[in-house]
Amino acid sequence: MPVPADPTVLHPMPEQPRVVLLRPLVKSPLIEVGEYSYYDDPDDPTAFETRNVLYHYGPEKLVIGKFCALGTGARFIMNGANHRMDGPSTFPFPTMGGSWAEHFDLLTGLPNRGDTVVGNDVWFGHGTTVMPGVRIGHGAIIGAGAVVTTDVPDYGIVGGNPARLIRTRFSDDEIDRLLAVAWWDWPAEHITGHVRTIMSGNIAELEAAAPDRA
C-alpha cells in the first residue's frame, strides 16, 4: 500500500534542515496551519512564529490552509502594527510606560481588518509580505517580493507592491471545478495514490480520481 508522507515531523527533508512543516512547529493559539504546509529558510525556519508573523498581539488569527509552500522571508503583518493617524503624531506613547500609560484609551478602537486567511495549495515566493486581514484564495501564487494589501482570488497570480492580479491560472469554469473537487481534503492515503494526477494531470483526470468516483 502507498504510504503518505508523515505530517507530524518537523523536518520532512532531514538533509535540508532549512525546511520545516509548520503544523508541528506552531504553538500559538492565534495561528492555525493545515497539514503539509511548509516554510523554507536557511537561517532559522523554526523561528517562524516570531520572525515571520509580526505584531501579533491578538485577538485576530492567522489561518493557513493545507499544502501551502512558503518561501524564505514570507511575512504576515498583523493588526497590532496599526497606529493612530487622526492626530498630529502616530507615535504610540502609552505603550512606552511611565505616566504615558495612563492614556492607553487612545490606542483602543484602532483599525482591525480581522483574521488573515490563506487557502489551501498557495505558493508564496521569496520575500512576500501579507498585510492585515487579507484573504488569499485556494491555489493562488504570490510572486516574489509581492506586498499583498487586498484579497487574492482563487487560483490568482499576483505580484508587485502593492500586489496586483496578473492573471488567473484557469478559466472561471475550471476554477469552479477545481474548488468542487477540493483535492486537498481527500484522505492522505487517497492523495498518495494520485500524486501524479494532482501534480501533472488535467482537471477531468483529477475529477475522475476523486474518492467518490474512483
Side-chain angles (χ1 to χ4, degrees):
M1 291 290 293
V3 178
D6 187 345
T8 67
V9 299
L10 181 60
H11 295 283
M13 305 162 61
E15 72 283 3
Q16 296 290 346
R18 59 182 286 161
V19 177
V20 295
L21 290 182
L22 290 174
R23 187 178 178 92
L25 172 71
V26 167
K27 305 302 179 188
S28 170
L30 297 176
I31 304 176
E32 299 175 7
V33 186
E35 291 182 336
Y36 299 108
S37 289
Y38 73 88
Y39 175 57
D40 181 306
D41 193 319
D43 295 326
D44 187 2
T46 62
F48 177 83
E49 288 181 90
T50 55
R51 294 180 58 197
N52 302 82
V53 184
L54 307 178
Y55 316 109
H56 199 191
Y57 311 129
E60 77 282 355
K61 291 185 176 182
L62 170 61
V63 180
I64 300 174
K66 307 172 188 174
F67 300 98
C68 291
L70 281 69
T72 303
R75 287 185 170 85
F76 298 87
I77 309 297
M78 305 303 288
N79 285 298
N82 286 323
H83 290 230
R84 288 187 74 113
M85 296 188 294
D86 58 345
S89 175
T90 61
F91 191 80
F93 287 90
T95 64
M96 298 295 109
S99 295
W100 296 356
E102 298 172 8
H103 306 287
F104 232 93
D105 61 295
L106 294 172
L107 298 182
T108 61
L110 291 176
N112 188 319
R113 294 188 61 192
D115 297 344
T116 298
V117 180
V118 178
N120 301 289
D121 191 26
V122 177
W123 174 21
F124 291 85
H126 183 280
T128 54
T129 302
V130 178
M131 299 303 286
V134 166
R135 292 178 176 263
I136 298 174
H138 304 300
I141 297 174
I142 313 302
V147 178
V148 184
T149 61
T150 58
D151 293 353
V152 178
D154 295 312
Y155 291 94
I157 301 175
V158 301
N161 181 7
R164 304 295 186 194
L165 181 65
I166 299 170
R167 64 179 177 87
T168 55
R169 297 173 55 196
F170 302 95
S171 70
D172 290 347
D173 176 68
E174 289 172 329
I175 290 172
D176 288 342
R177 292 166 64 190
L178 286 165
L179 295 177
V181 81
W183 66 263
W184 44 80
D185 289 332
W186 296 356
E189 293 77 12
H190 194 79
I191 289 174
T192 303
H194 297 279
V195 166
R196 299 192 70 84
T197 300
I198 294 170
M199 292 187 68
S200 64
N202 58 43
I203 297 174
E205 291 169 339
L206 190 65
E207 290 171 327
D212 59 345
R213 302 186 190 182

